[in-house]
Amino acid sequence: LLNYTWPLFTIIFTMTIFGRKAKRPLSYRLVQQFGILMGFAAVIIVGTRGDFASLDLSNGPGIAWGLMGGMSYGLFSAFSSTVAKDEQGLFLLRAVLFSLLLMSLVSLSELDVIGSLTLSDVLIAASTGLFMNGLGYITWTRANRLAYELQIDISSIASIMFVLPVLSLGIIALMFGEDHLTQPYFLMALLLILLSSIFCQKPDFVLKWLGMSNSLHPDKHVH
């Protein structure tokens, strides 16, 4: 769950460290921020399967590592938006090598388990890295760069990522014949994801529906 704080950190770092100050009215930004919170709430519902009592907040190191994971990927995402198109490939290669170095240092105490890995384990991990994560990183960094160049609100981009855990659970349910898709918690998560998308992608529509359309700045184009 804490790993999925990275869309939140992407927005925070993009706006604070990399100079993407919001140019929208306060009401516009509040609608988007509420949409982001709804998206994260959907992740929590899916992660706990609706049982919030199952959340264990007593594991301090686990919480710290989870937040560090969210912050690191959020920082990576925010920084990638500033990388020029012709430098994106080199940027990703450097990121891979630097991450490999850090992961190797952190994993020194776990090296004894390498001998227990099967060829199937290695092939699955390699395939996931090459075809899933690899393509995902390329498309995600490109989306961030285009959003930066076109001055599209980062909340509109980052909010889409909250769909991933809900989509993953749906795929698992279909593949293994599980009944998640009809459970109240899953339907609630789907509703929150839908509302999150509307709030983040169409804040002008939400403001008009709330009768607050006059709070929109007239000379700002809404994406």
Side-chain angles (χ1 to χ4, degrees):
L1 290 178
L2 292 175
N3 245 354
Y4 271 94
T5 57
W6 67 263
L8 302 176
F9 284 115
T10 297
I11 297 171
I12 293 171
F13 291 145
T14 298
M15 296 178 63
T16 57
I17 298 178
F18 297 101
R20 288 278 302 278
K21 300 297 183 181
K23 298 179 181 179
R24 308 294 185 179
L26 176 61
S27 57
Y28 191 102
R29 285 178 281 139
L30 287 176
V31 169
Q32 286 188 317
Q33 290 165 10
F34 190 69
I36 290 292
L37 292 178
M38 285 194 291
F40 188 60
V43 175
I44 295 176
I45 291 174
V46 168
T48 61
R49 299 190 178 185
D51 181 14
F52 300 110
S54 65
L55 284 173
D56 183 9
L57 302 179
S58 62
N59 185 357
I63 292 175
W65 279 108
L67 285 174
M68 284 179 61
M71 292 177 67
S72 64
Y73 195 53
L75 182 61
F76 167 82
S77 300
F79 181 75
S80 69
S81 67
T82 66
V83 177
K85 180 180 179 180
D86 58 347
E87 297 179 356
Q88 186 178 21
L90 183 59
F91 163 72
L92 289 173
L93 285 175
R94 287 173 175 170
V96 169
L97 292 175
F98 186 66
S99 297
L100 183 61
L101 175 62
L102 289 179
M103 289 171 60
S104 299
L105 294 175
V106 174
S107 304
L108 287 177
S109 61
E110 307 288 340
L111 292 180
D112 57 318
V113 303
I114 291 180
S116 64
L117 297 177
T118 65
L119 179 60
S120 177
D121 294 330
V122 175
L123 290 176
I124 290 175
S127 299
T128 301
L130 287 172
F131 300 109
M132 294 179 63
N133 291 338
L135 291 175
Y137 275 59
I138 292 172
T139 54
W140 173 240
T141 53
R142 185 171 185 270
N144 280 322
R145 176 180 59 80
L146 290 174
Y148 185 87
E149 292 175 354
L150 299 174
Q151 293 297 300
I152 297 174
D153 294 296
I154 188 60
S155 298
S156 300
I157 304 297
S159 64
I160 300 173
M161 297 300 106
F162 289 125
V163 175
L164 293 178
V166 179
L167 180 62
S168 298
L169 184 61
I171 293 174
I172 291 172
L174 291 175
M175 289 180 62
F176 297 100
E178 299 178 0
D179 63 349
H180 299 294
L181 303 184
T182 58
Q183 295 297 317
Y185 79 87
F186 186 81
L187 298 176
M188 176 58 69
L190 280 180
L191 176 61
L192 285 174
I193 286 294
L194 176 61
L195 291 174
S196 172
S197 178
I198 294 174
F199 273 58
C200 291
Q201 305 293 328
K202 299 292 183 181
D204 54 329
F205 170 81
V206 175
L207 287 170
K208 289 178 182 178
W209 183 74
L210 294 174
M212 300 172 60
S213 57
N214 58 344
S215 62
L216 288 173
H217 200 289
D219 59 356
K220 294 295 182 181
H221 178 67
V222 177
H223 295 275

